[in-house]
């Protein structure tokens, strides 16, 4: 099998993507290689293997050893492959985070660098805030981290500010101008990894806590926090979601029309809609 030595398992977090890329590479090197040949080599039904490669099924615990033997993985790669399967099978946020962090510890630095920066961006509530603050505050080097941190609510340490700026530059969410100032860039974090939903739930919880604290710490004239409790037909909830989406788009248009030179603050706007009571289904 020619492709076994040409594909780097540590570049992957999704074991099924790893297996599919291996199959396609091997097929390009050896035209006789087929799903049936691959399936026979790992002692598996060809139709089941195809479903696994398509992302429709998972490897069973008993099947993992066959793939480890097929790829001739030693201890390090063997453990990594098992952890990839566990990561892909994880069903709750805590398990997803646990297996992702375990995978990151096993990966070489060159393979994990960008994923770690993306992970920190979604896990640390203040990274997006620092990105917006770069429009308002003149940040040129790490010595500016102290002053920027003191402007934040709540205050951030220089280390927190500087680590955020480093990650933003790494992710191309910020850029350095010719005069040395770091400013937000037009880029977006693009990821389809499973850890994203787990991190976003943590981020949303942290932001909700900040909103709660602002009731006591921020003057009323500098905030707008209102609540609305209402009876709804739960089958029509999508209509409310569409209204909220339209409202977000309208607000974004207003904000984007403001030149960064006149901006002097960073605000957080939360939309929160959740059930508080539900009748039993009959």
């Amino acid at each position: 099998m020619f492709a076994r030595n040409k594909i780097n398992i540590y570049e992957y977090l999704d074991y099924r993507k790893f297996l599919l890329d291996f199959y396609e590479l091997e097929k390009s090197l050896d035209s006789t290689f087929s799903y049936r040949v691959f399936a026979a080599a790992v002692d598996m039904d060809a139709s089941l293997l195809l479903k696994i490669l398509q992302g429709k099924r998972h490897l069973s615990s008993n099947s993992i050893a066959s793939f480890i033997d097929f790829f001739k993985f030693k201890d390090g790669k063997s453990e990594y492959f098992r952890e990839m399967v566990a990561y892909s099978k994880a069903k709750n946020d805590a398990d997803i985070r646990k297996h992702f962090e375990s995978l990151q510890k096993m990966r070489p630095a060159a393979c994990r660098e960008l994923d770690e920066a993306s992970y920190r961006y979604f896990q640390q509530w203040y990274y997006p805030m620092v990105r917006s603050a770069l429009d308002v505050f003149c940040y040129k080097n790490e010595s500016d981290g102290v002053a920027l941190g003191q402007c934040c609510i709540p205050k951030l340490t220089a280390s927190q500010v500087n680590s955020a700026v480093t990650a933003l530059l790494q992710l191309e969410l910020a850029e350095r101008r010719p005069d040395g100032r770091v400013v937000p860039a037009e880029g977006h974090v693009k990821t389809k990894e499973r850890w994203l939903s787990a991190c976003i739930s943590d981020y949303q919880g942290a932001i909700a806590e900040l909103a709660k604290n602002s009731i006591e710490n921020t003057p009323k004239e500098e905030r707008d926090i209102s609540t609305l409790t209402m009876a709804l037909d739960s089958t029509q909830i999508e209509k409310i979601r569409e209204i909220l989406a339209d409202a977000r788009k309208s607000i974004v248009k207003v904000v984007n029309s403001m030149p960064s030179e006149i901006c002097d603050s960073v605000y957080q706007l939360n939309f929160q809609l959740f059930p508080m009571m539900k009748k039993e289904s009959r």
Side-chain angles (χ1 to χ4, degrees), residues 14-208:
D14 185 338
Y15 79 94
R16 291 180 292 194
K17 180 70 167 61
F18 166 74
L19 295 178
L20 179 60
D21 284 357
F22 162 79
Y23 171 79
E24 292 178 345
L25 178 58
E26 183 65 34
K27 183 72 174 177
S28 70
L29 298 172
D30 178 4
S31 60
T32 66
F33 191 69
S34 65
Y35 292 123
R36 291 188 181 277
V37 172
F38 192 7
V42 292
D43 194 25
M44 177 177 286
D45 181 78
S47 62
L48 175 58
L49 175 62
L50 178 59
K51 289 178 181 178
I52 291 171
L53 298 182
Q54 292 173 335
K56 296 177 181 179
R57 294 284 297 274
H58 275 298
L59 281 179
S60 67
S61 300
N62 294 332
S63 300
I64 293 175
S66 296
F67 281 84
I68 290 173
D69 289 340
F70 169 78
F71 284 103
K72 298 182 173 15
F73 287 149
K74 302 301 181 183
D75 290 344
K77 291 184 178 180
S78 171
E79 182 183 358
Y80 190 84
F81 186 78
R82 291 182 185 278
E83 197 64 26
M84 273 205 302
V85 177
Y87 170 66
S88 297
K89 286 182 169 183
K91 295 182 178 178
N92 59 62
D93 290 348
D95 284 344
I96 290 172
R97 285 195 299 271
K98 181 185 76 172
H99 291 299
F100 172 76
E101 290 171 1
S102 179
L103 286 170
Q104 288 297 87
K105 291 176 183 177
M106 289 187 261
R107 301 173 84 189
C111 295
R112 69 172 185 261
E113 192 171 358
L114 193 59
D115 278 328
E116 282 189 350
S118 301
Y119 186 65
R120 290 197 305 273
Y121 180 81
F122 286 108
Q123 197 176 45
Q124 304 288 359
W125 64 265
Y126 55 87
Y127 276 32
M129 187 271 286
V130 169
R131 183 190 185 194
S132 293
L134 294 174
D135 250 338
V136 178
F137 187 92
C138 183
Y139 180 103
K140 291 188 174 183
N141 52 57
E142 291 190 350
S143 63
D144 296 318
V146 175
L148 176 50
Q150 288 298 305
C151 294
C152 297
I153 308 171
K155 289 181 172 57
L156 299 177
T157 65
S159 176
Q160 288 175 315
V161 172
N162 292 330
S163 67
V165 173
T166 298
L168 292 170
L169 289 169
Q170 192 175 8
L171 293 168
E172 298 182 352
L173 296 175
E175 59 189 7
R176 191 177 296 276
R177 297 193 317 204
D179 64 359
R181 179 175 173 179
V182 179
V183 296
E186 295 297 322
H188 299 280
V189 176
K190 297 177 181 179
T191 179
K192 296 181 180 179
E193 297 296 345
R194 303 193 73 234
W195 54 257
L196 178 58
S197 62
C199 285
I200 286 179
S201 64
D202 281 351
Y203 172 78
Q204 291 172 334
I207 292 299

Side-chain angles (χ1 to χ4, degrees), residues 203-271:
Y203 172 78
Q204 291 172 334
I207 292 299
E209 186 66 22
L210 290 176
K212 173 186 170 184
N213 294 339
S214 73
I215 296 174
E216 294 183 2
N217 302 328
T218 305
K220 289 182 179 180
E221 58 272 16
E222 296 182 16
R223 59 176 168 82
D224 186 309
I225 297 178
S226 57
T227 60
L228 177 62
T229 306
M230 52 199 169
L232 290 176
D233 174 359
S234 60
T235 64
Q236 303 297 310
I237 194 67
E238 194 57 37
K239 291 182 179 179
I240 306 297
R241 293 168 65 97
E242 290 173 2
I243 293 172
L244 292 174
D246 289 340
R248 286 195 297 270
K249 292 176 184 176
S250 297
I251 293 170
V252 168
K253 286 182 181 179
V254 171
V255 171
N256 286 344
S257 68
M258 300 176 186
S260 59
E261 302 82 47
I262 69 170
C263 296
D264 61 359
S265 303
V266 175
Y267 273 75
Q268 176 71 36
L269 175 61
N270 299 341
F271 287 86

